[in-house]
Amino acid sequence: MPKRRSHRSQQIRYGIAHEAARIMREQGVKDFLLAKRKAAERLGISDRTSLPGNDEIAAALTEQQRLFGGSAYPARLRALRETATRAMDLLSGFEPRLVGSVLSGAVTEHSEVNLHVFTDAPEAIAMHLMDCDIPYESSERRIRYPSERIESRPSFRFVAGDVAVEATVFPVHGLRQAPSCPVDGRPMQRARLPELEALLAES
């Protein structure tokens, strides 16, 4: 009996993970918690203990992209990574690092390029974008660290071609400690421009 309940629980988690991935893929939802709650509601599941982890949803999203994306998926991923290289070159004076779905490969048609940039004077990013005649919007992004510390960091959003780019600003010492990945809670993976160029060369 316990074994049957365990199998049932796994089936529920799998179903919610794939429905949440579909919601993220088709509707452009970026928040994992919102996606899994919408998925549970859609499937009529009220047991919150059956909700899958973010890593399970990310795996389902990647699987769905490969299954349903066809030739458009690798082309989209490459286009996003090429846009990221141009954005990183633009912000080369601020030690840019690529993070998020464009680095991991779990992209959808709604994906954006997410960068971390480093300077003790965030206004320098704004000045640089203005000097380059690039319109931008400024806002703040809440960042969580493995120690559970949460900080609000300034961010700048602009468009490169038809792709949105968001550059979140960290102090220079922030290069030494990556924030938590929203998918698995581990320190976020960051890639320098040469590492991204190597990924493009491999593909």
Side-chain angles (χ1 to χ4, degrees), residues 88-169:
M88 293 173 79
D89 187 57
L90 171 73
L91 298 170
S92 60
F94 303 98
E95 299 283 350
R97 302 289 193 270
L98 176 64
V99 299
S101 63
V102 177
L103 176 58
S104 71
V107 299
T108 72
E109 61 181 288
H110 305 283
S111 292
E112 303 175 349
V113 171
N114 297 110
L115 303 178
H116 289 177
V117 291
F118 302 86
T119 175
D120 292 329
E123 63 275 10
I125 305 290
M127 294 296 296
H128 180 66
L129 292 173
M130 284 191 288
D131 287 345
C132 295
D133 293 323
I134 296 175
Y136 68 87
E137 296 177 356
S138 59
S139 61
E140 288 196 342
R141 177 172 281 275
R142 285 167 60 84
I143 302 294
R144 183 183 297 274
Y145 287 86
S147 62
E148 296 303 314
R149 183 175 91 255
I150 297 176
E151 293 182 357
S152 289
R153 304 304 315 163
S155 70
F156 295 88
R157 183 185 174 88
F158 57 94
V159 176
D162 61 349
V163 177
V165 177
E166 184 181 44
T168 303
V169 187

Side-chain angles (χ1 to χ4, degrees), residues 57-92:
I57 298 172
L61 181 59
T62 301
E63 180 183 338
Q64 288 182 18
Q65 285 301 94
R66 287 174 179 155
L67 283 173
F68 307 124
S71 60
Y73 167 71
R76 176 66 175 165
L77 177 58
R78 184 171 188 85
L80 286 165
R81 286 178 171 173
E82 287 175 345
T83 298
T85 64
R86 294 193 292 273
M88 293 173 79
D89 187 57
L90 171 73
L91 298 170
S92 60

Side-chain angles (χ1 to χ4, degrees), residues 4-71:
R4 185 177 302 167
R5 281 200 299 268
S6 175
H7 180 65
R8 174 64 177 158
S9 177
Q10 288 176 0
Q11 286 182 317
I12 291 173
R13 289 173 70 93
Y14 181 87
I16 295 175
H18 279 261
E19 178 62 16
R22 186 193 65 77
I23 289 169
M24 296 180 81
R25 179 169 56 85
E26 295 181 357
Q27 300 178 18
V29 173
K30 297 182 177 66
D31 185 284
F32 281 92
L33 181 58
L34 175 59
K36 69 177 77 174
R37 283 178 174 169
K38 290 180 74 170
E41 182 179 351
R42 167 85 173 73
L43 297 173
I45 297 166
S46 58
D47 181 7
R48 295 300 186 216
T49 63
S50 296
L51 293 180
N54 293 349
D55 56 336
E56 294 171 84
I57 298 172
L61 181 59
T62 301
E63 180 183 338
Q64 288 182 18
Q65 285 301 94
R66 287 174 179 155
L67 283 173
F68 307 124
S71 60

Side-chain angles (χ1 to χ4, degrees), residues 85 88 96-97 191-202:
T85 64
M88 293 173 79
R97 302 289 193 270
R192 296 176 299 112
L193 181 55
E195 294 167 322
L196 175 56
E197 289 173 335
L199 284 176
L200 281 166
E202 289 173 6

